[in-house]
Amino acid sequence: MTSQTALRRRTKHVLVAVSVTLGLLSCLWVLSFLWLQVFGTEGALPPRSRMPGVPSGATVTDESTECASGGCWRTITVVPAPGQSPEDLAHEMGLSEELRLPPTLFDPASVYVGAHSREGKLVVHLGYR
């Protein structure tokens, strides 16, 4: 066997291994997507990275995770910057109405983000639906 034949054989084995690995990862991603679609409301939480950014001047005073019969969600309470109303803060964060964030590569489910004002603060919630 020549060295060129051995190189081709090794290249073929590497390509097959990479293809199989990518295929398995794709299957796992699809399965996690289906799992979240079917069982997403029962105990699953979106990652913190899906929470909208808090603008400078505003302060996060509380962060919690809550669960009920409809599923689980993350909640943060934000105090607006001095002179800013909770409604203005919600508008600045892009939360004047409830948002549906599309799936991402690492979080294969839709995330819903909403906000409401309470006692001069903005309460932001994030969860799967």
Side-chain angles (χ1 to χ4, degrees):
M1 181 161 45
T2 67
S3 64
Q4 191 172 15
T5 306
L7 180 61
R8 284 185 186 155
R9 184 171 290 164
R10 189 176 11 218
T11 303
K12 181 180 175 184
H13 290 305
V14 168
L15 288 175
V16 167
V18 167
S19 298
V20 167
T21 301
L22 288 175
L24 287 173
L25 289 174
S26 297
C27 287
L28 287 173
W29 187 87
V30 167
L31 286 173
S32 68
F33 175 80
L34 291 174
W35 177 267
L36 285 171
Q37 294 302 315
V38 175
F39 302 108
T41 60
E42 295 303 323
L45 276 172
R48 275 197 178 105
S49 60
R50 302 297 295 269
M51 185 69 76
V54 176
S56 62
T59 309
V60 175
T61 59
D62 185 38
E63 188 171 341
S64 64
T65 302
E66 300 174 38
C67 293
S69 61
C72 296
W73 58 93
R74 294 185 190 282
T75 304
I76 62 169
T77 303
V78 183
V79 174
Q84 186 180 38
S85 71
E87 291 77 16
D88 291 339
L89 177 60
H91 183 71
E92 186 177 344
M93 292 176 71
L95 298 173
S96 14
E97 58 186 41
E98 189 171 89
L99 301 176
R100 178 188 165 275
L101 303 177
T104 64
L105 181 62
F106 296 110
D107 186 20
S110 297
V111 174
Y112 289 84
V113 184
H116 64 275
S117 61
R118 183 188 318 150
E119 299 173 357
K121 300 174 184 173
L122 185 68
V123 179
V124 181
H125 52 89
L126 172 89
Y128 293 126
R129 269 204 196 143

